[in-house]
Amino acid sequence: MTDSNVQAPSLAKLLTHHSEKWRGFDRDVLPLPVAEMDFPVADSIRAVLAEMVAQSDLGYLGSVPELAAGFAKFAAERWNWSVDTSQVGVAADVGVGVVEVLRVFTKPGDTILINSPVYQNFYNWIDETHLTKVDVPFTRTGPQSDSDNPWQLDLDEVEKAYAAGLKVHLMCSPHNPLGRVFSKDELTRIAEMAKKYGVLVISDEIHAPLTFAEKRFIPFLTISESAREVGITITAASKGWNIAGLKCAIIVSQNDAINTKLDEMPRAVHFRASILGAFASAAAFAEGGVWLDSVIKQLDHNRFLIRDLLTTKLPSVKYHIPHNSYLAWLDLESLNLGENPTQTLLEKGRVAFNPGHSYGAQCSQYVRLNFATSPEIITEAIDRIVRTL
Ligand SMILES: Cc1ncc(COP(=O)(O)O)c(C=O)c1O
């Protein structure tokens, strides 16, 4: 395998992995939850890690200008976003970044908006910071085609939430699990409303590098001066380049007042990140483009493979083509798998997915399927659903 032809290894090989995805279940269960990929990592990442281990260069993380420089290069090339490297901070992961930012910008009891169904740890981060959750959920009301995502966000409802004294809007952009990329119009309106009502927008952009060609991912901070006055982006190379275990994320702001406030974060937020993660992330952003494009090509194949398999084998299951990343959001209601389809599929089908209810209580009949794996494993997963019926 090379960086330009990335492929997942065999199931037998994957079963030797040490991560939660591969250790969280009995050996006969085919695991497709947990957002990590089954693909081998990029050569540039492998090289930097091998060299640092060979040199026993495994101390605490100090200054790492390579990371901000790598991110700025990637952001300029892929998104036409000019990032000032002095405005890029480091945290151990996106979760820690969000929680630490919330700690300096809010006090317990302040309100925070999410849009369910959404990445399950958003709920945990809100609990951890003792904030009060407000939800304006997405609804499945829009048109659906390969280029249209059926999940819509009612921005008038979002405005009502802002007007009621909201403190923070935690956005998932692009969206997990809906595979939805926000449009320029949507982001522009959110930035304008946030400025009008004094809302801080935290934009979790961890899935952005994995956006498919038919959509353009737009970083929130590129939208307008208003966006830069109200916004903080938290992101990482960990999702795009499959290095979540290395523990490194970045916090980006492009506004002096926000930066001054961010300076109140403890210095430990930086050095609690891992030195391996920081240098691997720098290599990913700076040199990981060929690998990333190869992975996107495989994921592109896989998202349509799921459509084709469902059309043939499970035509009543609802699925829309995601515009980013590797998460399929399947509505299994028609299969009558009981109150908790994930549990039924695990027990009877020996196939594991993430349960829809953890993304939003209204989505209990959904499962999230991670398709960052081989076509063979995806096919076997769909077959196991069929065999459960
Ligand atoms: C939207 C989103 N944010 C954050 C994370 C986790 O990031 P980290 O491990 O850096 O906290 C994930 C992982 O799946 C995610 O989907």
Side-chain angles (χ1 to χ4, degrees):
M1 198 214 76
T2 64
D3 269 9
S4 55
N5 180 25
V6 181
Q7 285 168 7
S10 66
L11 181 58
K13 200 147 191 202
L14 288 165
L15 282 165
T16 66
H17 281 195
H18 298 79
S19 66
E20 170 62 9
K21 182 176 184 201
W22 292 97
R23 289 210 161 175
F25 302 92
D26 294 340
R27 266 184 83 81
D28 66 325
V29 169
L30 191 67
L32 291 92
V34 185
E36 65 182 53
M37 301 196 259
D38 289 342
F39 305 127
V41 299
D43 285 343
S44 54
I45 294 174
R46 222 177 271 273
V48 76
L49 294 177
E51 177 63 16
M52 290 176 77
V53 171
Q55 301 295 334
S56 297
D57 185 6
L58 300 172
Y60 287 108
L61 178 63
S63 154
V64 55
E66 294 88 343
L67 178 54
F71 181 69
K73 175 173 182 282
F74 184 80
E77 285 171 5
R78 297 267 164 155
W79 305 317
N80 201 20
W81 178 16
S82 173
V83 174
D84 175 348
T85 54
S86 71
Q87 296 178 328
V88 177
V90 178
D93 59 28
V94 167
V96 168
V98 171
V99 166
E100 293 294 346
V101 166
L102 289 173
R103 283 195 176 127
V104 294
F105 279 90
T106 64
K107 55 181 188 327
D110 283 346
T111 47
I112 180 166
L113 176 69
I114 57 162
N115 308 109
S116 71
V118 73
Y119 174 52
Q120 61 273 41
N121 277 317
F122 275 27
Y123 298 94
N124 296 330
W125 302 340
I126 291 171
D127 288 347
E128 206 173 325
T129 47
H130 307 289
L131 296 174
T132 302
K133 173 176 63 76
V134 177
D135 186 9
V136 174
F138 281 92
T139 50
R140 196 188 165 106
T141 49
Q144 179 171 342
S145 68
D146 290 356
S147 56
D148 287 318
N149 187 302
W151 292 86
Q152 301 295 317
L153 186 58
D154 185 337
L155 291 179
D156 292 337
E157 290 300 314
V158 171
E159 177 152 20
K160 280 187 206 154
Y162 279 23
L166 188 82
K167 191 82 186 185
V168 180
H169 185 176
L170 179 57
M171 291 186 62
C172 191
S173 173
H175 193 89
N176 164 13
L178 299 179
R180 191 179 185 284
V181 177
F182 286 92
S183 70
K184 185 163 192 213
D185 285 351
E186 287 172 324
L187 294 173
T188 302
R189 173 134 186 237
I190 287 167
E192 289 310 320
M193 290 191 299
K195 183 165 177 191
K196 179 171 172 193
Y197 297 104
V199 171
L200 175 72
V201 176
I202 300 181
S203 187
D204 173 346
E205 300 184 356
I206 193 170
H207 288 275
L210 293 168
T211 301
F212 295 109
E214 75 274 3
K215 285 281 170 194
R216 195 164 66 88
F217 165 72
I218 307 173
F220 185 70
L221 296 181
T222 64
I223 282 292
S224 60
E225 199 44 49
S226 298
R228 289 183 282 281
E229 279 172 35
V230 300
I232 297 175
T233 292
I234 307 189
T235 187
S238 60
K239 199 66 50 190
W241 285 270
N242 204 25
I243 49 174
L246 290 178
K247 291 291 159 197
C248 181
I250 58 175
I251 302 171
V252 188
S253 129
Q254 296 191 295
N255 174 269
D256 289 344
I258 290 183
N259 278 324
T260 305
K261 192 79 186 155
L262 287 174
D263 285 343
E264 290 175 22
M265 289 195 303
R267 258 180 44 75
V269 174
H270 175 97
F271 61 71
R272 283 181 184 143
S274 126
I275 193 167
L276 290 178
F279 285 90
S281 300
F285 284 128
E287 300 161 52
V290 171
W291 184 93
L292 185 69
D293 288 337
S294 171
V295 161
I296 290 174
K297 199 166 151 206
Q298 176 71 67
L299 297 178
D300 184 36
H301 172 82
N302 289 355
R303 64 186 175 143
F304 289 105
L305 171 67
I306 292 172
R307 180 195 63 189
D308 295 345
L309 290 168
L310 291 173
T311 304
T312 330
K313 301 179 186 216
L314 292 166
S316 67
V317 168
K318 287 197 198 127
Y319 164 67
H320 64 274
I321 298 291
H323 294 139
N324 74 283
S325 215
Y326 49 81
L327 305 165
W329 187 235
L330 307 181
D331 179 355
L332 304 188
E333 186 165 22
S334 62
L335 303 184
N336 295 314
L337 292 168
E339 268 180 27
N340 187 343
T342 311
Q343 194 60 28
T344 308
L345 290 166
L346 179 63
E347 284 166 10
K348 293 197 182 152
R350 309 309 282 162
V351 58
F353 305 110
N354 288 106
H357 62 76
S358 57
Y359 303 85
Q362 73 278 29
C363 293
S364 62
Q365 288 297 314
Y366 284 77
V367 299
R368 195 190 74 170
L369 177 157
N370 171 350
F371 59 82
T373 187
S374 64
E376 292 74 25
I377 288 179
I378 293 169
T379 306
E380 174 62 18
I382 301 294
D383 284 344
R384 288 191 189 202
I385 302 180
V386 173
R387 292 204 292 272
T388 306
L389 302 178

